[in-house]
Amino acid sequence: MVVTRAAHFLVALVLFCLLALGARADSLASFLPEIEPAELAPGADAIGPVREDVPVAPVLKGGETVAWAFLTSDFVGTTGYSGKPIHVVAAIDGDAVLTGVKLVKHSEPIVLIGIPNSRMVELTEGYAGLDLKREAETGGEGHDLDIISGATVTVMVIDDSVVRAGIKVARAMGLGGLSEVQPDGPKREVDMAKADTHDWATLSGDGSIRRLTLDVGQVNAAFEATGDQRAIKRPEKGNPEDTFIDMHVALVSVPSIGKSLLGEAEYQNLVNWLDEGEHAILVLGRGKYSFKGSGYVRGGIFDRIQLIQGDNSVRFFDRQHRRLGTVAAEDAPSFTELDIFKIPADAEFDPTEPFRLQLLVQRAIGAVEKTFLTFDLGYKLPEQYLLPVAPAPKVVDDATGEAAAKSALWQRIWKDRQVEIAVLGAMLLVLTITFFFQFHATMNARVFYWFRIGFLTMTLFFIGWYANAQLSVVNIMALAGSLRSGFTWDAFLLDPLVFIQWFAVAAALLFWGRGAYCGWLCPFGALQELTNKIARAFKVPQWTLPWGLNERLWPIKYMIFLALFGLSIVSIPLAEKYAEIEPFKTAIILKFMRDWPFVVFAVGLLMIGLFIERFYCRYLCPLGAALAIPARIRMFDWLRRYKDCGNPCQTCANECPVQAIHPTGEINPNECVTCLHCQVLYQSESKCPVVIRQLKRRAKTGSVKLKTPLGQPPANHPNAKPQTVS
């Protein structure tokens, strides 16, 4: 009792101190000195200071900015299995392509300790070359995800952080034609009163007209880079310097540009054609390749071009198309294709933001089969056509969007693990029914024995070695850290099987105490018990510790738990390191595929368990101690006892696998793993003196006929011991 009160006091004190302390915030500036510039961009030789408006730093090569470095945790709040962000520094170039990615800090002990750090570094660096424009178009699913066994959640968090943070940076910086969404900030407007006209050279020089030029050699080289031999064998004919396509784009719904290129009369026709909220682009082309093709004649859709702005894309149909006879601007070159395309109002197109026209280049590789490449022509309306507005601070953290992205990530994980969730749910349902009807479940000793062996086998192989859903004291420290920094469900929802188990454990603590988990759902506990059963089958002697020694060893696990919890106040990573006293990661998560000191420690505990059943659970497990403390609030005492238990009968106390029954007959709920063996004995016709006396009285009155001699266990009874009862 004294130990329990002291434990409650210390836990309360630790929680108070933990919640009172703040945490040092990691920043981009703190990580940059640890990184070589060339790791972020090939050939880079310096990294500039972090900007004040957006937390990015220029990556320099010969004094010129070739990329922008950023820290993923500055832009997205996705947390890892430990409940803390996984910090990754990445760099992005002007085309919104990642040039370098480096893992700089993480706190993922459950899944990463034992997995070579080089493997995680290699996976993270593999994101270099990722095109974030495509990721923005596909919702972050434009690439394959490389999963590492035992680190699924961590890999998905890294992937989500790198992709979403990269897209946010690209939008904030206006890279690759991606525009930032600023719902609360002031928007730019087109100056519709500006109507002065200019010649072709002026419009081309100031960016009013943008151009994409490809020669035959460039296109052939692009197809060769794909490695598709069928496409390589059918190159474009002609000299490499011949023009494949020379394409120009201009936003002619802007008055000054439209009047300059279309002429006054044609521009007025355009204005009459456009409805409110609609815009138009002029696309000009010449060369061997047509940006229109002939498919629109049959299907009514121009399948070789599409307009892309942010996450939106626009395909053009024949009803949105008009031909132009000639370009009105002076000195304009001649073109074979002159076409105006209407951008509908429901496309949510913003003329003040960058966009790009994507060109699809196709090549026949069979009778009807074709292969494709895409080329982008970026466009941004020059500043002189925009009305000046007061600058607004850039929004790099949209709380609503961030919450939606986090929700989408854990929902994706839950959807991918539907089968595992269903199996775990079935196991929990079976266990709940067993506990509620434990008196009936334990009536047949042999049936219950094999039921328990089967359930523990399922726990070990499915929950443990297959699903890697072993709970840990680290989860509790992560929960405390989350309470300190601002609790959210997101980090805990990332692993559905662990999340479900913790909810089941919380409910079980109210009804049955810690035994529901420790005795039935803990994979390492199951491994200990099953190996002990095998040892018994091979006649390995079993050691029973003296009651006084057994009782004095119990507090060790509580001391370990409180020490780890107190250490987490000073340093959570350090506490997680010392949490290696749990052999769970070695024996369950990593299946003994680990450095030899960890393997020796785990195997050593299992070896002791061959002689003393569940030795680790009884004396060393900090998770068991953590569960035992709140288990004191359980609402019911389900285990049945007779007045004779403990005085004079000691059968249950002697046979309790974890020595949780006092010599006086009381069951210690802090140490009981609810194996229900005492309930089997409670109904045993061969071992329980109370039952035997009752059967004798009934036999004398003739109300019951004994199936076996009194005191003699049934044949092949798992608990049978030769004995006679006088």
Side-chain angles (χ1 to χ4, degrees), residues 252 270 273-275 277-283 291-292 296 299-303 305-307 313-324 338-349 357:
V252 290
L270 174 68
W273 183 44
L274 297 178
D275 293 329
E278 294 182 334
H279 298 272
I281 58 172
L282 172 65
V283 185
F291 63 78
K292 291 191 299 183
Y296 73 96
I301 185 172
F302 294 87
D303 58 358
I305 57 173
Q306 69 171 330
L307 184 148
S313 61
V314 180
R315 289 276 186 188
F316 300 106
F317 294 85
D318 52 3
R319 63 180 179 274
Q320 300 166 331
H321 165 252
R322 279 188 175 185
R323 289 187 176 90
L324 179 67
L338 303 89
D339 299 89
I340 301 173
F341 295 94
K342 179 195 294 186
I343 304 172
D346 59 9
E348 299 181 355
F349 176 76
L357 190 68

Side-chain angles (χ1 to χ4, degrees), residues 184-259:
D184 299 326
K187 293 184 177 181
R188 304 296 298 274
E189 294 182 359
V190 176
D191 187 355
M192 301 301 290
K194 186 178 179 63
D196 49 328
T197 59
H198 305 280
D199 58 20
W200 180 269
T202 301
L203 295 172
S204 298
D206 64 15
S208 301
I209 302 173
R210 298 295 175 98
R211 179 183 187 186
L212 171 67
T213 302
L214 297 171
D215 58 37
V216 171
Q218 289 174 311
V219 174
N220 286 336
F223 276 106
E224 289 175 4
T226 65
D228 188 339
Q229 294 300 318
R230 297 175 300 174
I232 295 173
K233 291 178 180 178
R234 299 189 179 208
E236 296 295 332
K237 297 180 181 179
N239 295 323
E241 296 81 12
D242 290 348
T243 300
F244 179 76
I245 188 171
D246 183 18
M247 186 170 69
H248 296 70
V249 172
L251 189 61
V252 290
S253 50
V254 175
S256 181
I257 299 176
K259 291 180 179 181

Side-chain angles (χ1 to χ4, degrees), residues 446 713-720:
R446 185 172 184 80
N716 300 320
H717 194 289
N719 299 320

